[in-house]
């Protein structure tokens, strides 16, 4: 069997069912439906093995920032594979693309963040975060500062550390997570959990849960607070305007580290290079991945602020941590070329000045639809809440049913949008044109109509 052999869709589906265990998948259900085989892609469009053209409103999994089919990235990988396909960064070695990529990332990162630790993915980046945070406090002579505070429904990956730092209860239930030393506070999800509070009141309340948790545990036990600037996988949850300023006030009062998980928001998604810049935050560590290579090759990392870097470098001795693929030369060459394209083509500026304002004004119109309780977004992230009653924010009786009907309608009508429960979410490639945004929004409207019809409302 070679990759050149041609198989029909049915054959691939049968082989898939026989041999392939997928991430986050109910395999019994998948076996009954059959996998959708995605064969090729160009720009913002995918084609499946039946020839259907689908607008990718999720940029793969939040990662294909510069769109599909950029030959420059393929050329960069090909050239680097011939030159040096692999060498490790252990044993006092480095390779040119990894050194250049660390330098290029330091240039766009906040001024106080000048070092990068490379990993193979976002989950691994958060494993590194856990190790680094605890190592830092040990080096400060404060070894009791071990506990990391995360948030309910946050997402930080799927390894043991990633799933523990995240606050997804369905993940915790499978495998006795979180591991000890990780606790969670409520999320700033006003639409779902704000009750009778105004968004601003709720934002303050949710932020103050951090202070309450620090006081409950004791400042001498708390190592760090980890959060996404905007929760992605949890449902594109955009905190009320009052939330981050109040978190900043609390962080200034207590000596704990701030970890901003930039795996989705990093590399331009909010219209700034990093979500931390969008919210004017000063993190100590920023896990990154996804948009770092536009998903063309797997790569992640942690951008490290001066405070932690200085301790690790000046006092740390050897840090017994790293991965075979840390600083992989081919992934780094692709990451570097991806960054060059983002810069030379002024894609982050395009998001801020054109694409985001246009997308946000267009999706705001969807709020008029009878199924829609709220539309929200920042940059090229958006969410649409499906409800049975617009004024009370009441959901349909069967949780998640409206969302999955809508998601299936979208795919059938040539659009990928993801459903998180009854929240429809989008995160298109950063290079999406205004005409493609129009196409996306008109498809969404049509699919909302079809969903309402199927729900009988
Ligand atoms: C996707 C994601 C991760 C995990 O990244 P992987 O590359 O899938 O391991 C971590 N944090 C956030 C915020 C993510 O969205």
């Amino acid at each position: 069997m070679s990759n050149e052999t041609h198989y029909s869709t049915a054959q691939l589906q049968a082989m898939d069912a026989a041999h392939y265990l997928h991430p986050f998948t109910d395999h019994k259900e998948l076996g009954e439906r059959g996998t959708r085989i995605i064969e090729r892609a160009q720009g913002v469009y995918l084609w499946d093995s039946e020839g259907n053209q689908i607008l990718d409103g999720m940029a793969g999994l939040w990662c294909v920032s510069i769109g599909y089919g950029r030959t420059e990235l393929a050329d960069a990988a090909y050239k680097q594979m011939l030159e040096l396909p692999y060498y490790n960064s252990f044993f006092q070695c480095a390779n040119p693309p990894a050194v250049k990529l660390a330098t290029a990332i330091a240039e766009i990162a906040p001024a106080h963040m000048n070092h990068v630790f490379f990993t193979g993915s976002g989950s691994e980046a958060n494993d590194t975060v856990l190790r680094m945070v605890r190592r830092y406090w040990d080096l400060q002579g404060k070894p009791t500062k071990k506990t990391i505070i995360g948030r309910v429904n946050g997402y930080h990956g799927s390894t043991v550390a990633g799933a523990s730092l995240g606050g997804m209860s369905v993940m915790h239930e499978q495998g006795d997570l979180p591991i000890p030393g990780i606790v969670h506070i409520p999320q700033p999800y006003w639409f779902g959990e704000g009750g009778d509070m105004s968004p601003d009141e709720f934002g303050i309340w949710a932020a103050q849960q951090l202070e309450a948790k620090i006081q409950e545990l004791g400042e001498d036990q708390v190592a760090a607070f980890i959060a996404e600037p905007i929760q992605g996988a949890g449902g594109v949850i955009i905190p009320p305007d009052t939330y981050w300023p109040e978190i900043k006030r609390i962080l200034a009062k207590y000596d704990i580290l701030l970890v901003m998980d930039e795996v989705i928001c990093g590399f331009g998604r909010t219209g700034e290079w990093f979500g931390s810049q969008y919210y004017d935050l000063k993190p100590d560590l920023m896990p990154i991945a996804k948009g770092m290579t536009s998903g063309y090759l797997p790569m992640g990392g942690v951008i490290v602020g001066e405070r932690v870097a200085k301790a690790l470098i000046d006092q740390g001795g050897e840090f017994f941590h790293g991965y075979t693929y840390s600083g992989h030369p081919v992934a780094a060459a692709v990451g570097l070329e991806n960054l060059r394209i983002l810069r030379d083509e002024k894609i982050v500026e395009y998001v801020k000045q054109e694409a985001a304002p246009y997308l946000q004004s267009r999706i705001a119109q969807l709020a008029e639809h009878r199924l829609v309780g709220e539309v929200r977004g920042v940059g090229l992230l958006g969410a649409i809440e499906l409800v049975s009653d617009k004024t009370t924010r009441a959901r349909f009786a069967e949780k998640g049913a409206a969302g999955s009907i809508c998601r299936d309608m979208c795919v059938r009508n040539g659009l990928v949008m993801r459903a998180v429960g009854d929240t429809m979410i989008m995160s298109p490639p950063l290079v999406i044109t205004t005409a493609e945004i129009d196409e996306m929004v008109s498809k969404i409207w049509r699919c909302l109509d079809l969903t309402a019809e199927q729900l009988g409302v």
Side-chain angles (χ1 to χ4, degrees):
M1 188 170 300
S2 96
N3 198 26
E4 302 308 312
T5 317
H6 185 78
Y7 293 96
S8 69
T9 303
Q11 285 172 315
L12 288 169
Q13 286 172 331
M15 286 149 67
D16 180 290
H19 301 293
Y20 191 177
L21 291 173
H22 292 240
F24 287 91
T25 293
D26 176 338
H27 285 90
K28 198 156 163 233
E29 187 194 60
L30 179 67
E32 285 155 13
R33 279 184 180 219
T35 325
R36 180 179 300 276
I37 308 284
I38 303 299
E39 250 176 16
R40 62 192 176 88
Q42 185 64 40
V44 300
Y45 294 102
L46 307 165
W47 280 267
D48 69 16
S49 55
E50 297 296 282
N52 297 304
Q53 180 177 340
I54 306 164
L55 198 166
D56 186 3
M58 282 303 297
L61 260 181
W62 324 84
C63 52
V64 189
S65 301
I66 62 169
Y68 297 95
R70 292 296 301 245
T71 52
E72 299 94 324
L73 267 61
D75 290 342
Y78 180 74
K79 240 179 100 198
Q80 186 57 43
M81 274 207 191
L82 295 179
E83 185 84 10
L84 178 74
Y86 176 77
Y87 199 72
N88 66 70
S89 296
F90 294 43
F91 315 134
Q92 311 196 333
C93 290
N95 61 77
V99 175
K100 290 183 209 166
L101 181 58
T103 306
I105 290 173
E107 277 167 22
I108 56 169
H112 70 289
M113 307 188 87
N114 292 302
H115 291 84
V116 184
F117 190 101
F118 290 114
T119 71
S121 69
S123 300
E124 282 178 17
N126 281 312
D127 279 60
T128 296
V129 160
L130 180 81
R131 297 283 312 275
M132 230 181 232
V133 159
R134 290 185 173 168
R135 177 79 184 132
Y136 170 78
W137 287 114
D138 280 347
L139 290 170
Q140 299 307 295
K142 296 183 177 174
T144 61
K145 284 173 81 71
K146 285 227 169 7
T147 301
I148 301 179
I149 302 174
R151 302 186 299 182
V152 172
N153 201 36
Y155 188 77
H156 300 296
S158 193
T159 53
V160 169
S164 293
L165 292 166
M168 302 258 167
S169 56
V170 290
M171 293 173 77
H172 289 171
E173 282 158 19
Q174 297 178 346
D176 290 326
L177 302 176
I179 54 171
I182 296 173
V183 298
H184 300 86
I185 58 170
Q187 58 180 335
Y189 180 28
W190 175 78
F191 187 85
E193 298 171 4
D196 294 332
M197 280 187 253
S198 71
D200 281 353
E201 287 165 351
F202 180 71
I204 299 278
W205 176 87
Q208 288 177 349
Q209 300 310 301
L210 175 61
E211 186 156 32
K213 186 57 84 179
I214 296 169
Q215 288 175 349
E216 174 197 322
L217 297 166
E219 187 184 350
D220 63 338
Q221 304 293 311
V222 180
F225 173 55
I226 183 168
E228 301 152 84
I230 292 165
Q231 283 157 264
V236 181
I237 292 162
I238 297 165
D241 292 341
T242 51
Y243 182 77
W244 284 117
E246 180 68 3
I247 293 278
K248 261 168 83 171
R249 179 194 70 74
I250 294 163
L251 290 169
K253 226 168 120 182
Y254 301 92
D255 192 18
I256 67 173
L257 299 175
L258 174 62
V259 183
M260 293 303 285
D261 186 334
E262 295 272 3
V263 170
I264 286 176
C265 289
F267 300 95
R269 178 124 323 255
T270 64
E272 303 291 339
W273 279 104
F274 294 95
S276 299
Q277 294 157 330
Y278 183 86
Y279 286 116
D280 190 26
L281 299 163
K282 203 173 169 221
D284 295 291
L285 299 167
M286 299 199 304
I288 51 173
K290 294 190 174 130
M292 183 178 182
T293 56
S294 280
Y296 279 52
L297 279 179
M299 188 177 219
V302 181
I303 309 180
V304 183
E306 279 313 323
R307 178 179 173 184
V308 174
K310 197 166 162 20
L312 285 174
I313 295 164
D314 292 351
Q315 312 158 240
E318 182 170 350
F319 182 32
F320 298 104
H321 175 70
Y323 308 103
T324 301
Y325 299 127
S326 287
H328 193 286
V330 182
V334 167
L336 207 51
E337 184 62 9
N338 179 58
L339 262 187
R340 186 197 64 73
I341 288 173
L342 285 171
R343 277 179 142 160
D344 287 1
E345 298 181 10
K346 300 200 180 339
I347 291 171
V348 185
E349 291 87 335
Y350 168 71
V351 170
K352 183 172 181 164
Q353 285 154 18
E354 288 181 55
Y358 192 72
L359 176 80
Q360 297 305 337
S361 74
R362 289 297 329 267
I363 63 172
Q365 296 162 355
L366 297 166
E368 287 161 28
H369 197 279
R370 65 186 185 282
L371 270 190
V372 175
E374 180 183 80
V375 178
R376 57 175 180 266
V378 161
L380 286 187
L381 290 166
I384 303 165
E385 297 281 6
L386 305 184
V387 292
S388 65
D389 185 328
K390 288 171 85 78
T391 54
T392 63
R393 320 204 297 263
R395 301 288 192 184
F396 288 97
E398 193 193 334
K399 201 172 168 287
S404 53
I405 292 171
C406 187
R407 179 202 53 214
D408 293 349
M409 283 301 176
C410 286
V411 176
R412 236 177 283 154
N413 287 277
L415 172 66
V416 176
M417 247 206 315
R418 211 166 125 188
V420 177
D422 291 312
T423 311
M424 304 308 300
I425 59 176
M426 70 193 86
S427 167
L430 304 186
V431 295
I432 191 169
T433 64
T434 52
E436 289 159 348
I437 290 172
D438 286 339
E439 180 191 335
M440 185 164 85
V441 173
S442 68
K443 281 184 167 156
I444 297 172
W445 187 276
R446 182 172 145 69
C447 292
L448 289 169
D449 280 346
L450 292 168
T451 304
E453 232 169 75
Q454 187 157 335
L455 288 165
V457 298

